């Protein structure tokens, strides 16, 4: 979570994500998403399902600023 938070601070500071974004919440969300994707892979889920989960997670970063 700390690694995600640090990356999000850098992204915010460089203007890549909304300055008003709650970085603590986003870091927690991406930690949860990573664990979920790892579980999908371990369970041998279809690649389309893994890709879909990743697309939804990354969409959290592309919200309008």
């Amino acid at each position: 979570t700390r690694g995600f938070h640090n990356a999000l601070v850098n992204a915010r500071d460089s203007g890549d994500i909304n300055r008003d974004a709650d970085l603590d919440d986003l870091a927690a969300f991406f930690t949860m998403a990573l664990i979920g994707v790892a579980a999908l892979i371990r369970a041998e889920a279809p690649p389309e399902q893994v890709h879909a989960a990743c697309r939804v997670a990354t969409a959290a970063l592309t919200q309008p600023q």
Side-chain angles (χ1 to χ4, degrees):
T1 303
R2 186 176 16 231
F4 280 122
H5 190 273
N6 291 340
L8 290 162
V9 167
N10 291 337
R12 182 199 59 204
D13 291 349
S14 67
D16 292 328
I17 62 172
N18 190 329
R19 294 201 69 71
D20 296 328
D22 186 323
L23 302 186
D24 291 329
D25 283 357
L26 280 171
F29 170 75
F30 284 116
T31 300
M32 179 272 312
L34 179 63
I35 292 167
V37 167
L40 288 172
I41 292 168
R42 186 175 173 112
E44 299 180 4
E48 302 82 27
Q49 189 176 4
V50 176
H51 292 171
C54 292
R55 278 193 306 275
V56 170
T58 57
L61 295 175
T62 59
Q63 300 303 315
Q65 295 186 23

